[in-house]
Amino acid sequence: MREPFAWVAAAEKVSGYRVVEAFDAHASDELGGRPDWFPRVVNLDESAFRRMFRYHTVFSDPEHGAVFELVEERSQAAAELGFSLMSPGMRAAIETVVVDCFPPYRQATERWVPWARIVLDKFHAMRMVDDCAHRVRTRASRKRATNLPNNRSGHQFDHRVRRLRWAFSKRANTLTDDERSKLFAMFAIYPEIGVAWLLKEEFAAIYEACDRDEADRRLQVWKHHITVSGLGEFIRTWRRTLGAWEDQILNYFDDRVTNAFAEGITNKIKVIKRSAYGFRNPMRYRLKVLLACGHRRKPGG
């Protein structure tokens, strides 16, 4: 159930087809019925099945540490199918659904569990803001390179800025004294990069607020600061994407849960696929993932 079919075939000295046949015959019985618990928190995330944008929507329960549904495709219809497969009791028990910045998952949740609190995953939000800061760093650090005959674009990066990209990525409280002094010296040369760094640190500080009201206050101040800064990377990201998720960002402070478990499950699924050298049958892939990721695990089990 949890090992690649080829490994089992080699260990048991039978053909791979015999192992697949046995798996197909017993997997459905092993997964018979619905999970033995009612999830309070649901993580919604996608997992790549194969290349060329073929995905599955994964439903997992971080509090019980298990995946309880896997639906083919990454769409609103797929998420709605996953919710529809739950019993009314399971859906009624859901209090919080954690999603990334994918509107179809949010729309499916609002339709099937309208009473649930929708939380935008903290790490996805922070990563989007960090990406804005890095785009500012990349743009501001370009300089005209008229003395390089092989440089067709006519631009290159300032190597001093490139060498500090890892220090730039770190949170302020994790910087060493040497890293801090080098960063501040760079900010003196490139003030825009310094402003971008401050904005990303200010956004991260929102998640350190003690309650929702304080987080809301910090978020409003941050919105004002990105407007005053005039940095298009931040302004466009807020207007086009994050601004539509403002309530979901603040919902984190009502139930401090994230998609960290779902990301761990995604990594586990990648290991399963890599060990098996990929899957061709989506239904067999679904059964394999559910069995390997604790579909029937009971609370405390």
Side-chain angles (χ1 to χ4, degrees):
M1 294 296 186
R2 291 174 177 79
E3 300 293 342
F5 298 142
W7 295 5
V8 177
E12 300 296 331
K13 298 181 180 179
V14 297
S15 70
Y17 294 106
R18 178 60 59 85
V19 177
V20 171
E21 184 181 62
F23 179 86
D24 290 345
H26 295 285
S28 296
D29 292 338
E30 192 77 14
L31 293 171
R34 294 187 174 93
D36 299 325
W37 72 91
F38 288 174
R40 187 189 71 84
V41 178
V42 173
N43 285 166
L44 262 183
D45 203 2
E46 75 277 353
S47 174
F49 170 57
R50 298 181 70 178
R51 294 181 180 178
M52 302 302 292
F53 305 104
R54 291 194 63 184
Y55 294 96
H56 278 68
T57 296
V58 183
F59 289 75
S60 56
D61 180 350
E63 296 184 332
H64 294 144
V67 173
F68 59 87
E69 192 51 77
L70 196 75
V71 182
E72 197 170 356
E73 295 185 359
R74 175 182 182 255
S75 63
Q76 181 177 344
E80 289 192 14
L81 176 59
F83 281 119
S84 70
L85 293 174
M86 300 180 192
S87 68
M90 283 186 69
R91 288 197 299 271
I94 297 173
E95 297 179 9
T96 301
V97 178
V98 188
V99 299
D100 57 16
C101 285
F102 187 53
Y105 285 169
R106 173 179 166 182
Q107 292 158 6
T109 302
E110 290 172 342
R111 178 175 179 182
W112 280 88
V113 282
W115 58 85
R117 177 191 304 108
I118 301 176
V119 175
L120 176 63
D121 181 46
K122 165 185 174 181
F123 299 105
H124 278 86
M126 291 178 63
R127 186 171 62 187
M128 291 185 69
V129 173
D130 287 353
D131 286 345
C132 292
H134 279 287
R135 290 201 299 272
V136 173
R137 179 185 62 82
T138 301
R139 173 178 58 77
S141 65
R142 289 196 179 100
K143 64 178 182 181
R144 185 66 58 181
T146 56
N147 58 341
L148 296 179
N150 295 326
N151 189 354
R152 296 180 181 179
S153 67
H155 292 82
Q156 70 174 4
F157 293 109
D158 187 330
H159 294 294
R160 294 170 298 178
V161 177
R162 289 180 66 91
R163 284 194 293 268
L164 289 173
R165 64 187 182 275
W166 300 118
F168 186 86
S169 300
K170 295 170 67 174
R171 297 269 78 90
N173 60 350
T174 64
L175 290 170
T176 65
D177 292 339
D178 182 56
E179 289 172 334
R180 191 183 303 273
S181 63
K182 289 180 178 179
L183 278 178
F184 286 5
M186 178 182 70
F187 297 159
I189 302 172
Y190 297 99
E192 270 191 316
I193 299 179
V195 173
W197 184 81
L198 289 172
L199 287 174
K200 82 176 180 68
E201 290 301 309
E202 186 180 7
F203 186 82
I206 294 172
Y207 285 97
E208 299 173 2
C210 58
D211 56 34
R212 184 184 179 112
D213 290 340
E214 174 61 17
D216 189 17
R217 186 192 69 79
R218 294 185 185 189
L219 181 59
Q220 301 311 314
V221 171
W222 183 80
K223 287 165 56 180
H224 173 69
H225 286 171
I226 64 171
T227 302
V228 172
S229 74
L231 295 178
E233 291 83 353
F234 286 90
I235 295 171
R236 286 191 295 271
T237 295
W238 178 259
R239 289 178 178 173
R240 295 176 182 177
T241 308
L242 281 178
W245 295 83
E246 184 169 349
D247 288 340
Q248 287 70 37
I249 291 173
L250 296 173
N251 284 346
Y252 168 79
F253 298 91
D254 296 330
D255 191 1
R256 295 175 184 255
V257 290
T258 69
N259 256 359
F261 176 77
E263 296 299 328
I265 286 294
T266 299
N267 290 333
K268 188 172 183 178
I269 292 173
K270 288 179 181 178
V271 172
I272 293 171
K273 290 189 298 182
R274 193 176 297 118
S275 300
Y277 293 96
F279 287 82
R280 292 187 297 272
N281 187 313
M283 291 306 298
R284 189 173 293 133
Y285 167 76
R286 172 183 177 274
L287 295 173
K288 190 79 169 179
V289 171
L290 290 177
L291 286 167
C293 299
H295 174 272
R296 298 291 291 173
R297 184 181 302 164
K298 297 182 180 180

